[in-house]
Amino acid sequence: MSLFGIVITVIALGSIIGSVYFIKKSAQKFNLTPEQLEKIKKRNEELDKEEEEEKKINS
């Protein structure tokens, strides 16, 4: 591989690694209230029940 190919490869890898690192550093965590968490849990339970009913119907 020529020197030009090696330089291009290093630049490409550096760009990818730098982008992933930047995204990781800029990510923020969600601070949800207990009410919001409860709402999410209830919604997930409802969706699970609906999926189970659909599986029974389709089986």
Side-chain angles (χ1 to χ4, degrees):
M1 186 182 287
S2 66
L3 180 62
F4 182 72
I6 293 171
V7 170
I8 294 296
T9 304
V10 169
I11 290 172
L13 288 174
S15 296
I16 293 169
I17 292 170
S19 299
V20 170
Y21 180 75
F22 176 74
I23 291 170
K24 182 182 176 218
K25 284 294 184 180
S26 64
Q28 297 177 359
K29 295 191 177 206
F30 293 111
N31 293 324
L32 299 175
T33 64
E35 294 85 17
Q36 290 172 324
L37 289 172
E38 187 64 32
K39 208 173 181 183
I40 291 169
K41 287 178 186 177
K42 285 181 183 178
R43 180 64 182 148
N44 285 338
E45 289 174 2
E46 291 173 5
L47 289 173
D48 289 341
K49 287 179 184 177
E50 289 177 11
E51 287 177 4
E52 287 178 18
E53 290 174 4
E54 286 179 12
K55 285 181 184 178
K56 289 179 183 177
I57 292 171
N58 293 333
S59 296

PDB file of all heavy atoms in Angstrom, residues 5-39:
ATOM      1  N   GLY A   5      -2.287   5.940   0.449  1.00  0.00           N
ATOM      2  CA  GLY A   5      -3.333   5.042   0.943  1.00  0.00           C
ATOM      3  C   GLY A   5      -3.318   4.928   2.452  1.00  0.00           C
ATOM      4  O   GLY A   5      -4.362   4.900   3.104  1.00  0.00           O
ATOM      5  N   ILE A   6      -2.134   4.853   3.012  1.00  0.00           N
ATOM      6  CA  ILE A   6      -1.999   4.768   4.470  1.00  0.00           C
ATOM      7  C   ILE A   6      -2.494   6.052   5.128  1.00  0.00           C
ATOM      8  O   ILE A   6      -3.215   6.010   6.129  1.00  0.00           O
ATOM      9  CB  ILE A   6      -0.526   4.479   4.858  1.00  0.00           C
ATOM     10  CG1 ILE A   6      -0.139   3.083   4.380  1.00  0.00           C
ATOM     11  CG2 ILE A   6      -0.326   4.602   6.358  1.00  0.00           C
ATOM     12  CD1 ILE A   6       1.334   2.772   4.512  1.00  0.00           C
ATOM     13  N   VAL A   7      -2.146   7.192   4.565  1.00  0.00           N
ATOM     14  CA  VAL A   7      -2.581   8.480   5.120  1.00  0.00           C
ATOM     15  C   VAL A   7      -4.096   8.588   5.071  1.00  0.00           C
ATOM     16  O   VAL A   7      -4.735   8.997   6.048  1.00  0.00           O
ATOM     17  CB  VAL A   7      -1.905   9.655   4.364  1.00  0.00           C
ATOM     18  CG1 VAL A   7      -2.524  10.983   4.751  1.00  0.00           C
ATOM     19  CG2 VAL A   7      -0.409   9.666   4.621  1.00  0.00           C
ATOM     20  N   ILE A   8      -4.694   8.231   3.957  1.00  0.00           N
ATOM     21  CA  ILE A   8      -6.157   8.290   3.813  1.00  0.00           C
ATOM     22  C   ILE A   8      -6.821   7.353   4.827  1.00  0.00           C
ATOM     23  O   ILE A   8      -7.824   7.704   5.461  1.00  0.00           O
ATOM     24  CB  ILE A   8      -6.585   7.936   2.375  1.00  0.00           C
ATOM     25  CG1 ILE A   8      -6.103   8.986   1.389  1.00  0.00           C
ATOM     26  CG2 ILE A   8      -8.089   7.752   2.281  1.00  0.00           C
ATOM     27  CD1 ILE A   8      -6.698  10.367   1.603  1.00  0.00           C
ATOM     28  N   THR A   9      -6.275   6.151   5.002  1.00  0.00           N
ATOM     29  CA  THR A   9      -6.826   5.193   5.958  1.00  0.00           C
ATOM     30  C   THR A   9      -6.749   5.734   7.377  1.00  0.00           C
ATOM     31  O   THR A   9      -7.714   5.637   8.143  1.00  0.00           O
ATOM     32  CB  THR A   9      -6.081   3.848   5.864  1.00  0.00           C
ATOM     33  OG1 THR A   9      -6.149   3.362   4.521  1.00  0.00           O
ATOM     34  CG2 THR A   9      -6.670   2.824   6.810  1.00  0.00           C
ATOM     35  N   VAL A  10      -5.634   6.318   7.753  1.00  0.00           N
ATOM     36  CA  VAL A  10      -5.471   6.882   9.098  1.00  0.00           C
ATOM     37  C   VAL A  10      -6.442   8.040   9.315  1.00  0.00           C
ATOM     38  O   VAL A  10      -7.067   8.146  10.382  1.00  0.00           O
ATOM     39  CB  VAL A  10      -4.002   7.331   9.321  1.00  0.00           C
ATOM     40  CG1 VAL A  10      -3.870   8.147  10.596  1.00  0.00           C
ATOM     41  CG2 VAL A  10      -3.083   6.127   9.357  1.00  0.00           C
ATOM     42  N   ILE A  11      -6.596   8.888   8.323  1.00  0.00           N
ATOM     43  CA  ILE A  11      -7.532  10.020   8.445  1.00  0.00           C
ATOM     44  C   ILE A  11      -8.967   9.511   8.590  1.00  0.00           C
ATOM     45  O   ILE A  11      -9.731  10.008   9.426  1.00  0.00           O
ATOM     46  CB  ILE A  11      -7.393  10.965   7.238  1.00  0.00           C
ATOM     47  CG1 ILE A  11      -6.052  11.702   7.303  1.00  0.00           C
ATOM     48  CG2 ILE A  11      -8.548  11.958   7.180  1.00  0.00           C
ATOM     49  CD1 ILE A  11      -5.718  12.524   6.079  1.00  0.00           C
ATOM     50  N   ALA A  12      -9.339   8.512   7.808  1.00  0.00           N
ATOM     51  CA  ALA A  12     -10.694   7.966   7.880  1.00  0.00           C
ATOM     52  C   ALA A  12     -10.960   7.340   9.248  1.00  0.00           C
ATOM     53  O   ALA A  12     -11.992   7.598   9.872  1.00  0.00           O
ATOM     54  CB  ALA A  12     -10.907   6.933   6.775  1.00  0.00           C
ATOM     55  N   LEU A  13     -10.028   6.540   9.735  1.00  0.00           N
ATOM     56  CA  LEU A  13     -10.196   5.920  11.047  1.00  0.00           C
ATOM     57  C   LEU A  13     -10.240   6.971  12.158  1.00  0.00           C
ATOM     58  O   LEU A  13     -11.037   6.869  13.095  1.00  0.00           O
ATOM     59  CB  LEU A  13      -9.074   4.915  11.316  1.00  0.00           C
ATOM     60  CG  LEU A  13      -9.144   3.625  10.513  1.00  0.00           C
ATOM     61  CD1 LEU A  13      -7.899   2.775  10.761  1.00  0.00           C
ATOM     62  CD2 LEU A  13     -10.391   2.838  10.855  1.00  0.00           C
ATOM     63  N   GLY A  14      -9.405   7.972  12.049  1.00  0.00           N
ATOM     64  CA  GLY A  14      -9.409   9.051  13.034  1.00  0.00           C
ATOM     65  C   GLY A  14     -10.727   9.802  13.057  1.00  0.00           C
ATOM     66  O   GLY A  14     -11.249  10.158  14.122  1.00  0.00           O
ATOM     67  N   SER A  15     -11.288  10.028  11.886  1.00  0.00           N
ATOM     68  CA  SER A  15     -12.588  10.712  11.806  1.00  0.00           C
ATOM     69  C   SER A  15     -13.686   9.879  12.452  1.00  0.00           C
ATOM     70  O   SER A  15     -14.527  10.401  13.187  1.00  0.00           O
ATOM     71  CB  SER A  15     -12.956  10.982  10.355  1.00  0.00           C
ATOM     72  OG  SER A  15     -12.034  11.870   9.781  1.00  0.00           O
ATOM     73  N   ILE A  16     -13.699   8.597  12.179  1.00  0.00           N
ATOM     74  CA  ILE A  16     -14.721   7.718  12.748  1.00  0.00           C
ATOM     75  C   ILE A  16     -14.591   7.648  14.264  1.00  0.00           C
ATOM     76  O   ILE A  16     -15.572   7.819  14.998  1.00  0.00           O
ATOM     77  CB  ILE A  16     -14.626   6.311  12.119  1.00  0.00           C
ATOM     78  CG1 ILE A  16     -15.000   6.366  10.646  1.00  0.00           C
ATOM     79  CG2 ILE A  16     -15.507   5.323  12.877  1.00  0.00           C
ATOM     80  CD1 ILE A  16     -14.691   5.106   9.880  1.00  0.00           C
ATOM     81  N   ILE A  17     -13.391   7.411  14.751  1.00  0.00           N
ATOM     82  CA  ILE A  17     -13.173   7.306  16.197  1.00  0.00           C
ATOM     83  C   ILE A  17     -13.472   8.632  16.880  1.00  0.00           C
ATOM     84  O   ILE A  17     -14.101   8.676  17.938  1.00  0.00           O
ATOM     85  CB  ILE A  17     -11.732   6.826  16.486  1.00  0.00           C
ATOM     86  CG1 ILE A  17     -11.575   5.379  16.011  1.00  0.00           C
ATOM     87  CG2 ILE A  17     -11.410   6.940  17.971  1.00  0.00           C
ATOM     88  CD1 ILE A  17     -10.152   4.882  16.016  1.00  0.00           C
ATOM     89  N   GLY A  18     -13.070   9.734  16.283  1.00  0.00           N
ATOM     90  CA  GLY A  18     -13.339  11.053  16.851  1.00  0.00           C
ATOM     91  C   GLY A  18     -14.828  11.353  16.915  1.00  0.00           C
ATOM     92  O   GLY A  18     -15.320  11.909  17.908  1.00  0.00           O
ATOM     93  N   SER A  19     -15.556  10.971  15.877  1.00  0.00           N
ATOM     94  CA  SER A  19     -17.006  11.199  15.863  1.00  0.00           C
ATOM     95  C   SER A  19     -17.707  10.395  16.942  1.00  0.00           C
ATOM     96  O   SER A  19     -18.578  10.908  17.655  1.00  0.00           O
ATOM     97  CB  SER A  19     -17.587  10.823  14.501  1.00  0.00           C
ATOM     98  OG  SER A  19     -17.016  11.626  13.498  1.00  0.00           O
ATOM     99  N   VAL A  20     -17.341   9.133  17.083  1.00  0.00           N
ATOM    100  CA  VAL A  20     -17.953   8.294  18.116  1.00  0.00           C
ATOM    101  C   VAL A  20     -17.633   8.839  19.501  1.00  0.00           C
ATOM    102  O   VAL A  20     -18.504   8.904  20.370  1.00  0.00           O
ATOM    103  CB  VAL A  20     -17.489   6.830  17.973  1.00  0.00           C
ATOM    104  CG1 VAL A  20     -17.920   5.995  19.164  1.00  0.00           C
ATOM    105  CG2 VAL A  20     -18.009   6.231  16.680  1.00  0.00           C
ATOM    106  N   TYR A  21     -16.406   9.253  19.716  1.00  0.00           N
ATOM    107  CA  TYR A  21     -16.011   9.815  21.009  1.00  0.00           C
ATOM    108  C   TYR A  21     -16.791  11.097  21.302  1.00  0.00           C
ATOM    109  O   TYR A  21     -17.266  11.309  22.421  1.00  0.00           O
ATOM    110  CB  TYR A  21     -14.506  10.095  21.013  1.00  0.00           C
ATOM    111  CG  TYR A  21     -13.996  10.667  22.312  1.00  0.00           C
ATOM    112  CD1 TYR A  21     -13.853   9.871  23.431  1.00  0.00           C
ATOM    113  CD2 TYR A  21     -13.672  12.013  22.417  1.00  0.00           C
ATOM    114  CE1 TYR A  21     -13.393  10.388  24.627  1.00  0.00           C
ATOM    115  CE2 TYR A  21     -13.221  12.551  23.610  1.00  0.00           C
ATOM    116  CZ  TYR A  21     -13.077  11.725  24.707  1.00  0.00           C
ATOM    117  OH  TYR A  21     -12.631  12.255  25.901  1.00  0.00           O
ATOM    118  N   PHE A  22     -16.971  11.952  20.310  1.00  0.00           N
ATOM    119  CA  PHE A  22     -17.716  13.201  20.477  1.00  0.00           C
ATOM    120  C   PHE A  22     -19.171  12.925  20.838  1.00  0.00           C
ATOM    121  O   PHE A  22     -19.736  13.555  21.734  1.00  0.00           O
ATOM    122  CB  PHE A  22     -17.633  14.040  19.201  1.00  0.00           C
ATOM    123  CG  PHE A  22     -18.452  15.287  19.249  1.00  0.00           C
ATOM    124  CD1 PHE A  22     -18.040  16.370  20.005  1.00  0.00           C
ATOM    125  CD2 PHE A  22     -19.645  15.378  18.569  1.00  0.00           C
ATOM    126  CE1 PHE A  22     -18.793  17.530  20.062  1.00  0.00           C
ATOM    127  CE2 PHE A  22     -20.406  16.524  18.616  1.00  0.00           C
ATOM    128  CZ  PHE A  22     -19.983  17.603  19.370  1.00  0.00           C
ATOM    129  N   ILE A  23     -19.776  11.976  20.154  1.00  0.00           N
ATOM    130  CA  ILE A  23     -21.173  11.623  20.446  1.00  0.00           C
ATOM    131  C   ILE A  23     -21.290  11.084  21.866  1.00  0.00           C
ATOM    132  O   ILE A  23     -22.226  11.418  22.596  1.00  0.00           O
ATOM    133  CB  ILE A  23     -21.695  10.606  19.410  1.00  0.00           C
ATOM    134  CG1 ILE A  23     -21.835  11.286  18.056  1.00  0.00           C
ATOM    135  CG2 ILE A  23     -23.023  10.006  19.855  1.00  0.00           C
ATOM    136  CD1 ILE A  23     -22.118  10.339  16.919  1.00  0.00           C
ATOM    137  N   LYS A  24     -20.354  10.254  22.269  1.00  0.00           N
ATOM    138  CA  LYS A  24     -20.387   9.683  23.622  1.00  0.00           C
ATOM    139  C   LYS A  24     -20.259  10.782  24.675  1.00  0.00           C
ATOM    140  O   LYS A  24     -20.961  10.779  25.685  1.00  0.00           O
ATOM    141  CB  LYS A  24     -19.262   8.668  23.777  1.00  0.00           C
ATOM    142  CG  LYS A  24     -19.240   8.004  25.122  1.00  0.00           C
ATOM    143  CD  LYS A  24     -18.073   7.044  25.262  1.00  0.00           C
ATOM    144  CE  LYS A  24     -18.063   6.495  26.660  1.00  0.00           C
ATOM    145  NZ  LYS A  24     -16.744   6.334  27.193  1.00  0.00           N
ATOM    146  N   LYS A  25     -19.387  11.717  24.462  1.00  0.00           N
ATOM    147  CA  LYS A  25     -19.168  12.789  25.432  1.00  0.00           C
ATOM    148  C   LYS A  25     -20.326  13.767  25.496  1.00  0.00           C
ATOM    149  O   LYS A  25     -20.601  14.351  26.537  1.00  0.00           O
ATOM    150  CB  LYS A  25     -17.877  13.561  25.112  1.00  0.00           C
ATOM    151  CG  LYS A  25     -16.626  12.835  25.482  1.00  0.00           C
ATOM    152  CD  LYS A  25     -16.561  12.709  26.985  1.00  0.00           C
ATOM    153  CE  LYS A  25     -15.281  12.064  27.416  1.00  0.00           C
ATOM    154  NZ  LYS A  25     -15.191  11.929  28.859  1.00  0.00           N
ATOM    155  N   SER A  26     -21.025  13.961  24.390  1.00  0.00           N
ATOM    156  CA  SER A  26     -22.103  14.945  24.372  1.00  0.00           C
ATOM    157  C   SER A  26     -23.456  14.355  24.761  1.00  0.00           C
ATOM    158  O   SER A  26     -24.435  15.090  24.879  1.00  0.00           O
ATOM    159  CB  SER A  26     -22.198  15.593  22.997  1.00  0.00           C
ATOM    160  OG  SER A  26     -22.552  14.636  22.034  1.00  0.00           O
ATOM    161  N   ALA A  27     -23.515  13.044  24.963  1.00  0.00           N
ATOM    162  CA  ALA A  27     -24.783  12.402  25.324  1.00  0.00           C
ATOM    163  C   ALA A  27     -25.173  12.804  26.742  1.00  0.00           C
ATOM    164  O   ALA A  27     -24.334  12.933  27.635  1.00  0.00           O
ATOM    165  CB  ALA A  27     -24.651  10.891  25.220  1.00  0.00           C
ATOM    166  N   GLN A  28     -26.482  12.990  26.938  1.00  0.00           N
ATOM    167  CA  GLN A  28     -26.996  13.344  28.255  1.00  0.00           C
ATOM    168  C   GLN A  28     -27.958  12.267  28.712  1.00  0.00           C
ATOM    169  O   GLN A  28     -28.685  11.682  27.929  1.00  0.00           O
ATOM    170  CB  GLN A  28     -27.729  14.684  28.204  1.00  0.00           C
ATOM    171  CG  GLN A  28     -26.813  15.825  27.821  1.00  0.00           C
ATOM    172  CD  GLN A  28     -27.580  17.129  27.719  1.00  0.00           C
ATOM    173  OE1 GLN A  28     -28.776  17.169  27.908  1.00  0.00           O
ATOM    174  NE2 GLN A  28     -26.876  18.195  27.411  1.00  0.00           N
ATOM    175  N   LYS A  29     -27.975  12.045  30.012  1.00  0.00           N
ATOM    176  CA  LYS A  29     -28.887  11.059  30.569  1.00  0.00           C
ATOM    177  C   LYS A  29     -30.227  11.707  30.843  1.00  0.00           C
ATOM    178  O   LYS A  29     -30.327  12.903  31.067  1.00  0.00           O
ATOM    179  CB  LYS A  29     -28.318  10.471  31.847  1.00  0.00           C
ATOM    180  CG  LYS A  29     -27.058   9.685  31.621  1.00  0.00           C
ATOM    181  CD  LYS A  29     -26.678   8.915  32.840  1.00  0.00           C
ATOM    182  CE  LYS A  29     -25.446   8.105  32.522  1.00  0.00           C
ATOM    183  NZ  LYS A  29     -25.320   6.936  33.313  1.00  0.00           N
ATOM    184  N   PHE A  30     -31.262  10.872  30.817  1.00  0.00           N
ATOM    185  CA  PHE A  30     -32.597  11.350  31.119  1.00  0.00           C
ATOM    186  C   PHE A  30     -32.792  11.382  32.627  1.00  0.00           C
ATOM    187  O   PHE A  30     -32.488  10.433  33.328  1.00  0.00           O
ATOM    188  CB  PHE A  30     -33.660  10.428  30.512  1.00  0.00           C
ATOM    189  CG  PHE A  30     -33.688  10.452  29.024  1.00  0.00           C
ATOM    190  CD1 PHE A  30     -33.279   9.364  28.288  1.00  0.00           C
ATOM    191  CD2 PHE A  30     -34.146  11.568  28.349  1.00  0.00           C
ATOM    192  CE1 PHE A  30     -33.319   9.385  26.917  1.00  0.00           C
ATOM    193  CE2 PHE A  30     -34.187  11.592  26.970  1.00  0.00           C
ATOM    194  CZ  PHE A  30     -33.774  10.498  26.258  1.00  0.00           C
ATOM    195  N   ASN A  31     -33.325  12.475  33.118  1.00  0.00           N
ATOM    196  CA  ASN A  31     -33.702  12.569  34.516  1.00  0.00           C
ATOM    197  C   ASN A  31     -35.224  12.553  34.573  1.00  0.00           C
ATOM    198  O   ASN A  31     -35.876  13.580  34.424  1.00  0.00           O
ATOM    199  CB  ASN A  31     -33.147  13.857  35.144  1.00  0.00           C
ATOM    200  CG  ASN A  31     -31.640  13.830  35.222  1.00  0.00           C
ATOM    201  OD1 ASN A  31     -31.056  12.782  35.463  1.00  0.00           O
ATOM    202  ND2 ASN A  31     -31.007  14.968  35.018  1.00  0.00           N
ATOM    203  N   LEU A  32     -35.781  11.363  34.760  1.00  0.00           N
ATOM    204  CA  LEU A  32     -37.219  11.209  34.756  1.00  0.00           C
ATOM    205  C   LEU A  32     -37.756  11.245  36.182  1.00  0.00           C
ATOM    206  O   LEU A  32     -37.118  10.750  37.109  1.00  0.00           O
ATOM    207  CB  LEU A  32     -37.615   9.887  34.102  1.00  0.00           C
ATOM    208  CG  LEU A  32     -37.206   9.715  32.644  1.00  0.00           C
ATOM    209  CD1 LEU A  32     -37.547   8.319  32.167  1.00  0.00           C
ATOM    210  CD2 LEU A  32     -37.868  10.747  31.773  1.00  0.00           C
ATOM    211  N   THR A  33     -38.938  11.806  36.320  1.00  0.00           N
ATOM    212  CA  THR A  33     -39.591  11.837  37.619  1.00  0.00           C
ATOM    213  C   THR A  33     -40.197  10.457  37.889  1.00  0.00           C
ATOM    214  O   THR A  33     -40.423   9.672  36.963  1.00  0.00           O
ATOM    215  CB  THR A  33     -40.706  12.895  37.645  1.00  0.00           C
ATOM    216  OG1 THR A  33     -41.708  12.516  36.697  1.00  0.00           O
ATOM    217  CG2 THR A  33     -40.168  14.272  37.319  1.00  0.00           C
ATOM    218  N   PRO A  34     -40.477  10.148  39.139  1.00  0.00           N
ATOM    219  CA  PRO A  34     -41.106   8.857  39.447  1.00  0.00           C
ATOM    220  C   PRO A  34     -42.446   8.664  38.722  1.00  0.00           C
ATOM    221  O   PRO A  34     -42.781   7.547  38.315  1.00  0.00           O
ATOM    222  CB  PRO A  34     -41.321   8.915  40.961  1.00  0.00           C
ATOM    223  CG  PRO A  34     -40.277   9.861  41.450  1.00  0.00           C
ATOM    224  CD  PRO A  34     -40.102  10.863  40.356  1.00  0.00           C
ATOM    225  N   GLU A  35     -43.190   9.757  38.528  1.00  0.00           N
ATOM    226  CA  GLU A  35     -44.461   9.659  37.810  1.00  0.00           C
ATOM    227  C   GLU A  35     -44.231   9.235  36.355  1.00  0.00           C
ATOM    228  O   GLU A  35     -44.966   8.411  35.802  1.00  0.00           O
ATOM    229  CB  GLU A  35     -45.219  10.993  37.845  1.00  0.00           C
ATOM    230  CG  GLU A  35     -45.681  11.409  39.222  1.00  0.00           C
ATOM    231  CD  GLU A  35     -44.613  12.146  40.016  1.00  0.00           C
ATOM    232  OE1 GLU A  35     -43.628  12.627  39.410  1.00  0.00           O
ATOM    233  OE2 GLU A  35     -44.754  12.214  41.237  1.00  0.00           O
ATOM    234  N   GLN A  36     -43.212   9.813  35.743  1.00  0.00           N
ATOM    235  CA  GLN A  36     -42.906   9.474  34.358  1.00  0.00           C
ATOM    236  C   GLN A  36     -42.465   8.013  34.243  1.00  0.00           C
ATOM    237  O   GLN A  36     -42.842   7.314  33.306  1.00  0.00           O
ATOM    238  CB  GLN A  36     -41.829  10.397  33.803  1.00  0.00           C
ATOM    239  CG  GLN A  36     -42.294  11.822  33.600  1.00  0.00           C
ATOM    240  CD  GLN A  36     -41.157  12.757  33.232  1.00  0.00           C
ATOM    241  OE1 GLN A  36     -40.036  12.605  33.727  1.00  0.00           O
ATOM    242  NE2 GLN A  36     -41.448  13.721  32.374  1.00  0.00           N
ATOM    243  N   LEU A  37     -41.654   7.561  35.202  1.00  0.00           N
ATOM    244  CA  LEU A  37     -41.210   6.170  35.191  1.00  0.00           C
ATOM    245  C   LEU A  37     -42.391   5.218  35.326  1.00  0.00           C
ATOM    246  O   LEU A  37     -42.461   4.194  34.634  1.00  0.00           O
ATOM    247  CB  LEU A  37     -40.203   5.923  36.317  1.00  0.00           C
ATOM    248  CG  LEU A  37     -38.824   6.557  36.138  1.00  0.00           C
ATOM    249  CD1 LEU A  37     -38.000   6.395  37.405  1.00  0.00           C
ATOM    250  CD2 LEU A  37     -38.109   5.943  34.955  1.00  0.00           C
ATOM    251  N   GLU A  38     -43.318   5.556  36.211  1.00  0.00           N
ATOM    252  CA  GLU A  38     -44.509   4.722  36.408  1.00  0.00           C
ATOM    253  C   GLU A  38     -45.348   4.673  35.135  1.00  0.00           C
ATOM    254  O   GLU A  38     -45.844   3.621  34.735  1.00  0.00           O
ATOM    255  CB  GLU A  38     -45.334   5.260  37.574  1.00  0.00           C
ATOM    256  CG  GLU A  38     -46.477   4.371  37.954  1.00  0.00           C
ATOM    257  CD  GLU A  38     -46.033   3.023  38.470  1.00  0.00           C
ATOM    258  OE1 GLU A  38     -44.956   2.926  39.089  1.00  0.00           O
ATOM    259  OE2 GLU A  38     -46.767   2.044  38.233  1.00  0.00           O
ATOM    260  N   LYS A  39     -45.489   5.812  34.476  1.00  0.00           N
ATOM    261  CA  LYS A  39     -46.242   5.879  33.224  1.00  0.00           C
ATOM    262  C   LYS A  39     -45.594   4.999  32.150  1.00  0.00           C
ATOM    263  O   LYS A  39     -46.279   4.284  31.412  1.00  0.00           O
ATOM    264  CB  LYS A  39     -46.279   7.341  32.763  1.00  0.00           C
ATOM    265  CG  LYS A  39     -47.442   7.730  31.945  1.00  0.00           C
ATOM    266  CD  LYS A  39     -47.411   9.232  31.721  1.00  0.00           C
ATOM    267  CE  LYS A  39     -48.584   9.698  30.923  1.00  0.00           C
ATOM    268  NZ  LYS A  39     -48.558  11.113  30.633  1.00  0.00           N
TER     269      LYS A  39
END
